[in-house]
Amino acid sequence: MTVPSWNLSVAYQGLDDSKIEQDIELVNQCLEVLRSYQNGRDQVSVMQNAIQTNEAAGKLLATISTYANCITSVDSSATDAKALLGRIAKLSAELTQAFTPYQDSLIQASESFVDDVLNHASGDVAGQAFAIRWLRKQAKNRLSIEQEQLLSAMEVDGRDAWGKLYDNVTGTLKVDVKYDDGRSEQLGFSQAASVLYGTEFERQQPVWEGIQRAMATHKETFAAILNAISGWRLTEYQKRSKSDNIHFLEPSLHQSRITLDTLDAMMECANDNKALGQKAGRLMAKVHGLSEMKPWNHLAGMPAKEGEQAKVYPFEEAIELIKAAFEKVSPEMSEFVDTMIANGWIDAASSENRRLGAYCTKFAATRSPLVFMTWGGSRSDLLTLAHELGHAFHNWVMRDLPLCKTRYPMTLAETASIFAENIVRDYLLDNASSDGEKLEMLWEELSSCYALTINIPVRFEFERAFYQRRSDKELTADELCDLMSETWQRWYGDSMTESDPYFWASKLHFSLSSISFYNYPYLFGYLFSAGVYAQREVKGSSFYLDYLNLLRDTGSMTAEEVVEKHMAMDLSKKDFWQQSFDRVSKKIDYFESLLDSQ
């Protein structure tokens, strides 16, 4: 098996497939239906038909958008795909505008009217109960119908255009790498970032320095993007603050389906346990033969013993390892990996103009999950693949539910992915034949702890401080660098005294136009998954079915409701989060004892 590329034919045969235009025409017909019956939206049957029509159009648009996004992920210079994304973005905005009057009616309607609407044979309608309940919570922040429609129309070429600019710049960005011996090379940005996750340690500092130079060259562009997106959001929040002022965290909390009390409890617990993450970093530095970690090696794999080469996994071996680990939970999980491979739903082959990072998506029309990453063969890549396959499995077990009941929040989105990582980590640890191999496997525990309990809070606190300052003025690129360095040093402490000043520019998450604070959900998922994972031993043979039911509930409950139902615990209490830190602490202590005995 070579490193695979996508087979996207389950959706379309190519960008010139006539079915794309046929589906766009169907969307236009749906738009016409929604516009024609707006005046009758006080009638139950009209509202039910509108919901079905909106769902049908949304499914088609999501499928086309995913298809075009998949193509641009592999080749960011694919102009035809980018043009199609532009068309779909405008159509999506038109759909939002056409359905806005119906949404407004659902928000303002009586409970009895909503109950009558939900009393329908179609799951696309009956399954909307949670979505409508959650929508009604934002009633006080709704603008008039005309204002909501105007805002949606302007986002395409306003807020979202800045996010596209970031993708275009980084997708074609070249990183010039200079080595001490006079050699040099030029890498695409995603290729350069991939080096930092591998084990070519002699390349990492020069590559990181090359990335820093590239970020510095484009710093004014990146600063403009960040200021524009945040400025748009803050202005929108101000306009929506009709009865109460909307704090910049509120929209993120609503999207994440958690309360501020839950977020505060988690972040306070993270701060209480900051020394644990720093300890993980110091142990990693010790293995590197350093007094502290560096911004170019804190994501890297474990250094090989003297005279040995770091393990490089062929893609086929990685797949077999993941399958064997998943098998320990259930044969269905292992068979699912075969399904992903057989259908060509994984793309991991390196390419020059490739999108940065890794992700999982799906075709809404067929419920086919899709995984994207850039395979380098490191153990980190192995766990990234497991992570994304965990996301894919989450989507797969919900494929029979109405699409409206599968839209889970970012916080719960990380449940299955990090759970999958934990499965693979423990499998590798259980099958290690020596203390040296156990150290290699536990390294990933340290790496995850360092990244998720230290780096994620850095991102959150940076973004929170940025929004506080952005309320008064735009921040220059240099001010953003200073803010990042201050936050970095506060969390990393003596485990890494040199900061990554351009992390705000090189990290895609800060420039996502549709989502703010795309950071703390990773810490949430890491700690929450640790709690779920611990239930394997407690529940034994009943665990797998309970786990599936938990995943299936993530699209129609708040995070607090999911935890209360399936774990009988309270997310707003630090005790919930501390139990996960305690579990991680045991793994780090185990690593330390093995290292000391070498």
Side-chain angles (χ1 to χ4, degrees), residues 37 188 201 218 265 282 294 338 362 486 532 580:
Y37 291 92
F201 304 112
H218 296 277
R282 286 192 297 272
K294 301 294 183 182
D338 284 330
K362 70 173 180 286
E486 292 166 9
V532 173
S580 295

Side-chain angles (χ1 to χ4, degrees), residues 582-593:
D582 292 343
R583 181 181 181 277
V584 173
S585 180
K586 291 177 182 177
K587 292 288 185 75
I588 292 174
D589 288 345
Y590 185 29
F591 181 95
E592 184 177 28
S593 66

Side-chain angles (χ1 to χ4, degrees), residues 6 55 73 164 177 223 306 321 374 404 410 420 453 496 532 544:
W6 272 321
E55 285 291 307
S73 292
K164 289 178 186 175
V177 183
E306 188 174 348
L321 280 170
T374 302
C404 58
M410 293 180 292
T453 70
M496 190 194 310
V532 173
Y544 181 65

Side-chain angles (χ1 to χ4, degrees), residues 329-573:
V329 179
S330 169
E332 288 184 5
M333 289 188 69
S334 180
E335 291 164 7
F336 166 73
V337 179
D338 284 330
T339 299
M340 292 292 292
I341 293 294
N343 288 312
W345 291 343
I346 301 175
D347 193 299
S350 180
S351 54
E352 186 176 356
N353 292 322
R354 197 171 183 81
R355 181 188 187 274
L356 191 65
Y359 66 83
C360 174
T361 186
K362 70 173 180 286
F363 286 134
T366 61
R367 304 297 183 89
S368 310
L370 301 163
V371 164
F372 174 87
M373 66 172 298
T374 302
W375 186 255
S378 68
R379 189 170 289 112
S380 176
D381 286 335
L382 168 65
L383 292 173
T384 295
L385 179 58
H387 180 102
E388 300 306 335
L389 285 170
H391 279 305
F393 183 71
H394 193 168
N395 288 326
W396 187 249
V397 301
M398 302 176 82
R399 67 191 184 281
D400 63 312
L401 297 175
L403 193 63
C404 58
K405 296 187 73 172
T406 69
R407 295 169 183 141
Y408 44 76
M410 293 180 292
T411 40
L412 298 176
E414 296 305 319
T415 306
S417 56
I418 299 178
F419 179 84
E421 279 190 63
N422 286 333
I423 293 170
V424 174
R425 280 201 198 97
D426 278 1
Y427 177 81
L428 292 172
L429 184 60
D430 290 343
N431 287 275
S433 59
S434 66
D435 285 352
E437 282 191 30
K438 290 179 180 179
L439 280 170
E440 291 179 23
M441 306 316 162
L442 286 166
W443 175 270
E444 299 302 333
E445 293 282 355
L446 268 69
S447 182
S448 291
C449 175
Y450 203 38
L452 291 162
T453 70
I454 298 295
N455 190 265
I456 292 299
V458 166
R459 302 181 201 182
F460 172 72
E461 289 207 351
F462 165 83
E463 191 163 8
R464 184 173 60 181
F466 166 62
Y467 269 85
Q468 289 168 341
R469 299 186 190 186
R470 181 64 183 85
S471 299
D472 297 325
K473 71 180 187 70
E474 291 190 4
L475 274 69
T476 67
D478 290 342
E479 287 173 329
L480 289 166
C481 286
D482 289 342
L483 180 57
M484 177 56 71
S485 294
E486 292 166 9
T487 312
W488 193 279
Q489 290 165 3
R490 185 161 57 251
W491 276 88
Y492 278 99
D494 62 4
S495 72
M496 190 194 310
T497 57
E498 183 172 354
S499 64
D500 186 343
Y502 282 104
F503 189 68
W504 60 270
S506 63
K507 193 63 187 176
L508 161 70
H509 293 174
F510 294 118
S511 295
L512 292 171
S513 62
S514 60
I515 303 172
S516 62
F517 289 90
Y518 194 61
N519 36 59
Y520 68 79
Y522 283 95
L523 178 59
F524 184 107
Y526 174 67
L527 298 173
F528 178 52
S529 286
V532 173
Y533 192 76
Q535 292 190 320
R536 283 184 70 193
E537 294 180 4
V538 176
K539 294 186 174 181
S541 60
S542 68
F543 170 77
Y544 181 65
L545 182 58
D546 288 347
Y547 177 58
L548 293 188
N549 288 331
L550 183 152
L551 294 181
R552 287 168 64 84
D553 277 342
T554 55
S556 52
M557 288 185 175
T558 67
E560 286 85 4
E561 289 168 344
V562 168
V563 170
E564 182 178 4
K565 176 180 177 180
H566 293 280
M567 302 176 73
M569 297 190 74
D570 185 348
L571 283 180
S572 67
K573 306 299 183 185

Side-chain angles (χ1 to χ4, degrees), residues 140-375:
K140 66 178 183 179
N141 300 328
R142 292 283 291 186
L143 302 173
S144 69
I145 293 174
E146 293 77 12
Q147 288 172 324
E148 290 287 354
Q149 290 173 325
L150 177 62
L151 182 62
S152 177
M154 293 183 66
E155 282 175 349
V156 177
D157 295 316
R159 182 199 67 185
D160 295 345
W162 289 101
K164 289 178 186 175
L165 176 60
Y166 182 89
D167 289 341
N168 290 338
V169 172
T170 56
T172 57
L173 189 65
K174 303 302 179 186
V175 175
D176 293 314
V177 183
K178 301 174 183 178
Y179 296 100
D180 290 340
D181 61 6
R183 291 181 300 116
S184 64
E185 63 176 329
Q186 189 176 76
L187 301 172
F189 183 35
S190 65
Q191 292 173 315
S194 181
V195 172
L196 303 183
Y197 287 86
T199 53
E200 296 179 275
F201 304 112
E202 73 285 349
R203 293 180 68 200
Q204 287 172 347
Q205 182 174 358
V207 167
W208 180 80
E209 290 172 347
I211 292 173
Q212 294 291 298
R213 288 191 295 271
M215 295 299 107
T217 298
H218 296 277
K219 67 180 184 179
E220 300 304 334
T221 299
F222 292 132
I225 291 170
L226 211 57
N227 278 298
I229 292 174
S230 58
W232 176 287
R233 289 185 183 129
L234 289 169
T235 299
E236 178 184 341
Y237 303 158
Q238 183 184 36
K239 297 299 182 184
R240 290 187 180 280
S241 297
K242 295 183 295 182
S243 56
D244 299 312
N245 288 331
I246 299 176
H247 190 272
F248 54 75
L249 272 172
E250 282 186 45
S252 173
L253 293 170
H254 187 83
Q255 280 187 321
S256 296
R257 295 187 202 158
I258 63 172
T259 64
L260 181 59
D261 287 343
T262 291
L263 177 61
D264 285 345
M266 181 181 72
M267 294 308 301
E268 286 174 17
C269 198
N271 190 63
D272 293 344
N273 290 272
K274 187 163 52 177
L276 177 63
Q278 292 174 351
K279 177 181 178 180
R282 286 192 297 272
L283 288 171
M284 291 167 69
K286 185 176 180 180
V287 176
H288 276 284
L290 301 170
S291 60
E292 63 180 69
M293 292 298 284
K294 301 294 183 182
W296 53 83
N297 70 359
H298 69 107
L299 302 172
M302 182 176 176
K305 293 180 181 178
E306 188 174 348
E308 296 180 3
Q309 293 293 320
K311 171 70 174 176
V312 176
Y313 293 89
F315 188 84
E316 183 172 18
E317 181 181 348
I319 285 292
E320 292 304 316
L321 280 170
I322 291 171
K323 284 176 55 183
F326 283 9
E327 179 85 22
K328 295 292 185 180
V329 179
S330 169
E332 288 184 5
M333 289 188 69
S334 180
E335 291 164 7
F336 166 73
V337 179
D338 284 330
T339 299
M340 292 292 292
I341 293 294
N343 288 312
W345 291 343
I346 301 175
D347 193 299
S350 180
S351 54
E352 186 176 356
N353 292 322
R354 197 171 183 81
R355 181 188 187 274
L356 191 65
Y359 66 83
C360 174
T361 186
K362 70 173 180 286
F363 286 134
T366 61
R367 304 297 183 89
S368 310
L370 301 163
V371 164
F372 174 87
M373 66 172 298
T374 302
W375 186 255

